[in-house]
């Protein structure tokens, strides 16, 4: 399956014509990771958007420092993301620091990495792409928020 | 149709996944989440379909033989 075909299976690019998706695909490159590799770290500057073409990643957030253990922190896994999912898209919207750490959990996890500035420039140049992508990011963030709300609800608040 | 699925495991707040599938999960299916085998107990539409995508929420429990 080509990168364009893989991106077509991501909600972020749904309702875009194949030639528009090809333009987006051409901005980035595929990178293969092993299990345990950290792709992005919480608090780091954000530069790229990631589309999972193959494999699975785990998203972790820190839950504060552990008392009496200098430098130690505890983190919680909040979700696993599989093929077709995206992460790092908040950077396209707000340019803030990474809000979570993302780690690969399967060998051979393949990500299509799109530089934020290039993607932003394309969205500004082609407003149709910009509108569709921003709308789809809103849908995706809404879906992730609903997922998180259900997780919290089913845990009885003990998250 | 692509099925974008939110998996949540009852009583396990840190287990969960979002994945795209070619066919919808069904009650009784078994799925591995974070190296733990889970059984699907409920499948519901999370939000209305849009374009080629359907959006499902799947509730799971830890599989009996994994306890």
């Amino acid at each position: 399956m080509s990168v364009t075909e893989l991106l077509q299976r991501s909600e972020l690019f749904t309702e875009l014509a194949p030639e528009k998706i090809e333009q987006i695909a051409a901005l980035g490159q595929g990178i293969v990771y092993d299990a345990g590799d950290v792709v992005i770290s919480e608090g780091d500057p954000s530069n790229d958007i990631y589309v999972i073409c193959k494999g699975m990643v785990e998203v972790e957030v820190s839950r504060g420092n552990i008392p009496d253990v200098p430098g130690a922190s505890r983190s919680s896994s909040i979700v696993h993301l599989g093929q077709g999912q995206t992460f790092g898209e908040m950077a396209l919207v707000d340019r803030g620091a990474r809000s979570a750490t993302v780690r690969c959990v399967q060998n051979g996890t393949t990500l299509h990495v799109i530089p934020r500035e290039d993607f932003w420039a394309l969205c500004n140049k082609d407003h149709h792409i910009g509108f569709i992508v921003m709308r789809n990011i809103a849908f995706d963030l809404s879906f992730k928020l609903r997922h998180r709300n259900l997780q919290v609800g089913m845990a009885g608040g003990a998250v | 149709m692509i099925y974008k699925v939110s998996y949540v495991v009852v009583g396990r707040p840190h287990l969960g996944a979002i994945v795209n599938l070619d066919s919808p999960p069904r009650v009784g299916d078994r799925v591995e989440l974070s190296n733990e085998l889970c059984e699907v107990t409920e499948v519901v539409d999370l939000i209305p379909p849009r374009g080629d995508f359907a959006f499902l929420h799947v509730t799971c429990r830890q599989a009996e033989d994994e306890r």
Side-chain angles (χ1 to χ4, degrees):
Chain A
M1 196 179 286
S2 70
V3 173
T4 300
E5 288 171 324
L6 287 165
L7 296 189
Q8 278 179 309
R9 294 180 55 80
S10 170
E11 189 194 4
L12 204 62
F13 307 113
T14 190
E15 296 184 27
L16 280 175
E19 58 269 24
K20 303 277 188 184
I21 296 177
E22 281 176 17
Q23 283 182 266
I24 295 168
L27 296 176
Q29 61 174 333
I31 300 180
V32 181
Y33 294 85
D34 287 326
D37 286 350
V38 173
V39 183
I40 59 176
S41 295
E42 187 176 341
D44 282 356
S46 55
N47 299 309
D48 301 306
I49 297 154
Y50 300 84
V51 183
I52 304 171
C53 296
K54 179 186 171 190
M56 183 81 75
V57 303
E58 180 175 35
V59 182
E60 302 173 351
V61 293
S62 64
R63 301 179 63 80
N65 293 328
I66 300 172
D68 305 323
V69 184
S73 65
R74 51 189 164 188
S75 61
S76 291
S77 170
I78 55 171
V79 70
H80 282 62
L81 300 175
Q83 189 180 55
Q85 309 312 307
T86 55
F87 60 92
E89 70 276 25
M90 284 167 63
L92 189 67
V93 177
D94 64 14
R95 298 173 180 242
R98 294 299 188 197
S99 62
T101 295
V102 177
R103 189 187 315 274
C104 292
V105 294
Q106 289 179 357
N107 285 329
T109 292
T110 306
L111 307 178
H112 195 70
V113 185
I114 304 171
R116 181 190 63 195
E117 293 304 327
D118 293 344
F119 198 13
W120 188 257
L122 178 62
C123 291
N124 274 326
K125 181 180 166 192
D126 186 328
H127 289 176
H128 179 68
I129 291 178
F131 170 74
I132 296 290
V133 167
M134 290 300 164
R135 186 196 62 183
N136 289 345
I137 285 176
F139 273 114
D140 185 58
L141 291 176
S142 172
F143 187 91
K144 285 171 177 164
L145 185 58
R146 287 178 186 276
H147 168 84
R148 187 65 183 147
N149 288 344
L150 287 161
Q151 266 186 322
V152 172
M154 290 192 178
V159 177
Chain B
M1 185 68 86
I2 298 168
Y3 298 88
K4 183 169 178 173
V5 181
S6 153
Y7 286 99
V8 167
V9 184
V10 174
R12 302 295 304 273
H14 306 306
L15 277 182
I18 300 173
V19 298
N20 286 356
L21 302 175
D22 291 324
S23 58
R26 300 185 189 284
V27 171
D29 285 354
R30 293 195 165 198
V31 60
E32 192 175 307
L33 299 172
S34 295
N35 297 319
E36 292 194 36
L37 193 61
C38 300
E39 182 179 339
V40 173
T41 57
E42 186 181 36
V43 181
V44 297
D45 290 320
L46 186 56
I47 51 177
R50 185 169 69 91
D52 293 333
F53 282 81
F55 302 92
L56 304 178
H57 172 63
V58 171
T59 306
C60 301
R61 66 181 176 200
Q62 217 173 345
E64 288 292 332
D65 52 4
E66 284 288 300
R67 291 177 180 172

